Every structure is written in structure tokens, then in C-alpha cells.
Amino acid sequence: MSDKNNVIAVVVTYNRLELLQKVIDALRNQTYKIDSIVVINNSSTDGTEEWLKSQKDLKYITQDNVGGAGGFNRGLKYGYEKGFEWIWFMDDDVVPRSNCLEELMKYADEKAILSPLRYTPDGKPFFNECVKFNFSNPFKTLWARLITREDIAQDFIDIDGMTFEGILINRALIDAIGLPVKEYFLYGDDSDYFIKAKKAGFRIGVVPSAKSDRVLPENSIKQWNSPRRYYMVRNIIILDRLYGNFWVRNFRPILYFVKWFFSKIDPKLMKITFKGFIDGWKCPEEFRKNGKEFR
């Protein structure tokens, strides 16, 4: 494509048709024109594909349920191979406000990765973006500092990491570091991608004037006490093993595990925790790839 301002929106969905429809409606009504919308459908069984077939202005790809990481990997690959300059990608539970993309594009730069400021269902800012990762102190968690109310008074907040919920990138990022690693399945794939981006010299930031609304409440405790716990345990340990200094790489995962082991949880969840710990500690080779295997 010759237009240096063309934008494709990528939405990853799984069994949340009602929410997906809200996201698509918001994308259709952006004040900054979106040239194409593609939905990555991870084999939804709730009528999503039938609805997508009836939408003449949408592209969609149905694939096996390979998690959010596999969905974003496929969606970014599609946008890149179709020649789009800008890729705006998100889950199906975050609804951008009408001028969200317009505000993001004011800061658009080949070497910048941009996120809107997200709001909770009750209308409050969602302070979840990571200003600074900690890969040096094994006695502290991965997230050294999250954004605060004071931070959002700025026009632009420089950060280390954020969630794949409305991220705008230039294709130059894929040229530099490839695609998100699909083997994460869910949780941690975004942190891994932004760590690589920062190492490659990209600027990462939140634009508070660009706003989006999370339509579901934060449910990290519920996820932690579900089979998803496996991926949360495994992937946070993988991040330590990949990017931590000697002490973080070899000591913090053990501290995590001791804490998890002595927490009062269902025996089935402890089995999941143990498996996640072992698989994370091994850190299989596919997680060491740079994501460029598609080219």
C-alpha cells in the first residue's frame, strides 16, 4: 500500500459475540478512518462466525483456539502481509471511544508503541500499565511501578509495558522484532513483546487523551483460581528466566513457588501450579525465538 497513514484494526475474539459487536461498532464509528477491520476468531461456538459472515465490511479469520497470544500473532501477521502501515489491535472486551484512534495518531511515529488510557466499567481510570519492570531485585515482583493518577496528568506517559488492549504500532516494529510469541497462549505475551521492543529502541507510552472502556470487571483473582493459573505461573517464570539477572533468573521463581505452595488453594490448583513452575523453569526453546519465523 502506498498510503503511509493506512490503518488496519485487529480484534481477537473467543465466545463473546455480544462484546465483539460493541467493539466493532466502536471501530466503525471512529473519527479517524480505519481502512480495514479483521477479526481473529479463535473457534468461537456462540454464533460469532455466523455473525461475521453476515458483515460485509469485515474480514475475518477462524482458527483453532490458540489463545490471545496466538490470535494476536495471526492478526499482526495478516496486517503486515497485507501491507498496512499501522496496526491497531485489541481484545474483544475493550471499547475505544469515538476519537480514540484520532488521539493516538497525533503521537504516531515509526519508533513509538501507543496505548489509550483504559477505564473500568464504573468509569474510573484503570491503573494497570507498568512504568518500570524489575529484572534485577529477586525480592520484589516483576512490576516495579504501575502508573498512577499523577502520571495521567501528563500528555504522554513513558512506560515499559502494557496489555494488548488497543495498542497502535507501525509495521516497523514487526520488521525489528517480529510477531508476539504464540506459545505463551495467554498472559505474559504482551510483556515479552514490549521488553523486546524496548531493547530494539522503541518508545512505549500511554496517551491519556485517547480513551477506551473495559466492559468487564477486573477478574485476576478468579483467573488465578482457575485452570488459567497454569499459564500465569508458567509465563511469569519464563519472563524471569529470559530477562532477569542471575539472581532473578535463578532465585525469584523459587520464592514465587514457595509463596504459592503455602497459599491455601485447592489441591488441583496446586498440581497446576507445580506443572506451571516446572514448565516455566525449563523455558522451552520456542519462547527464545524472536518471532520472525514467518518471514
Side-chain angles (χ1 to χ4, degrees), residues 208-221:
S209 61
K211 299 177 173 63
S212 64
D213 295 298
R214 305 182 87 248
V215 294
L216 295 177
E218 176 65 12
N219 60 354
S220 57
I221 294 177

Side-chain angles (χ1 to χ4, degrees), residues 29 50 66 152 178 195 205 247:
N29 290 286
E50 290 74 15
V66 288
I152 66 174
I195 291 166
W247 294 106

Side-chain angles (χ1 to χ4, degrees), residues 269-288:
L269 291 178
M270 180 48 67
K271 184 177 180 180
I272 290 172
T273 301
F274 184 73
K275 178 171 173 51
F277 173 81
I278 295 300
D279 290 351
W281 186 271
K282 292 177 182 177
C283 192
E285 184 60 32
E286 53 262 36
F287 291 93
R288 301 180 185 276

Side-chain angles (χ1 to χ4, degrees), residues 3-235:
D3 183 3
K4 288 294 184 179
N5 290 317
N6 61 70
V7 180
I8 183 171
V10 174
V11 184
V12 176
T13 191
Y14 176 67
N15 277 350
R16 293 198 290 210
L17 176 56
E18 185 176 348
L19 301 186
L20 173 65
Q21 291 169 334
K22 292 180 180 180
V23 175
I24 297 301
D25 186 58
L27 295 177
R28 286 168 169 158
N29 290 286
Q30 288 294 301
T31 56
Y32 190 101
K33 180 180 179 293
I34 297 175
D35 298 279
S36 182
I37 302 173
V38 61
V39 176
I40 308 302
N41 174 26
N42 278 344
S43 290
S44 298
T45 57
D46 63 346
T48 291
E49 183 160 8
E50 290 74 15
W51 180 77
L52 289 170
K53 287 179 180 178
S54 69
Q55 306 303 301
K56 303 305 180 184
D57 61 332
L58 302 180
K59 306 290 185 182
Y60 75 93
I61 298 170
T62 296
Q63 60 181 12
D64 291 340
N65 184 13
V66 288
F72 290 121
N73 177 290
R74 185 69 178 273
L76 268 63
K77 179 180 180 181
Y78 177 89
Y80 182 90
E81 291 182 339
K82 292 297 182 181
F84 285 93
E85 188 71 15
W86 303 96
I87 304 174
W88 192 28
F89 58 104
M90 62 202 73
D91 280 319
D92 56 9
D93 61 352
V94 57
V95 180
R97 298 186 188 178
S98 62
N99 67 339
C100 184
L101 181 57
E102 181 180 354
E103 292 298 315
L104 289 175
M105 289 299 294
K106 291 178 181 179
Y107 295 85
D109 183 272
E110 285 189 6
K111 299 289 285 185
I113 303 169
L114 306 172
S115 171
L117 179 63
R118 295 170 294 156
Y119 285 77
T120 62
D122 59 0
K124 297 178 181 179
F126 184 53
F127 299 122
N128 192 57
E129 287 80 6
C130 183
V131 176
K132 187 69 176 177
F133 284 128
N134 164 37
F135 286 111
S136 59
N137 186 342
F139 298 103
K140 300 290 185 179
T141 66
L142 170 62
W143 305 275
R145 187 170 84 81
L146 301 180
I147 65 169
T148 64
R149 188 169 297 279
E150 289 71 28
D151 290 320
I152 66 174
Q154 306 173 53
D155 293 332
F156 188 96
I157 311 167
D158 283 288
I159 60 175
D160 276 359
M162 49 201 174
T163 306
F164 287 161
E165 293 187 354
I167 307 303
L168 179 68
I169 66 168
N170 185 273
R171 62 185 292 108
L173 178 63
I174 299 174
D175 285 329
I177 67 172
L179 300 168
V181 177
K182 59 181 179 291
E183 284 80 6
Y184 277 99
F185 192 77
L186 57 85
Y187 194 78
D189 52 320
D190 40 20
S191 295
D192 178 84
Y193 203 54
F194 295 129
I195 291 166
K196 290 173 181 173
K198 206 71 178 284
K199 288 177 177 291
F202 285 78
R203 187 185 186 190
I204 305 170
V206 175
V207 180
S209 61
K211 299 177 173 63
S212 64
D213 295 298
R214 305 182 87 248
V215 294
L216 295 177
E218 176 65 12
N219 60 354
S220 57
I221 294 177
K222 182 178 179 181
Q223 292 186 36
W224 184 242
N225 292 319
S226 76
R228 289 188 172 200
R229 183 185 183 103
Y230 168 77
Y231 297 104
M232 299 172 80
V233 170
R234 184 195 67 172
N235 294 353

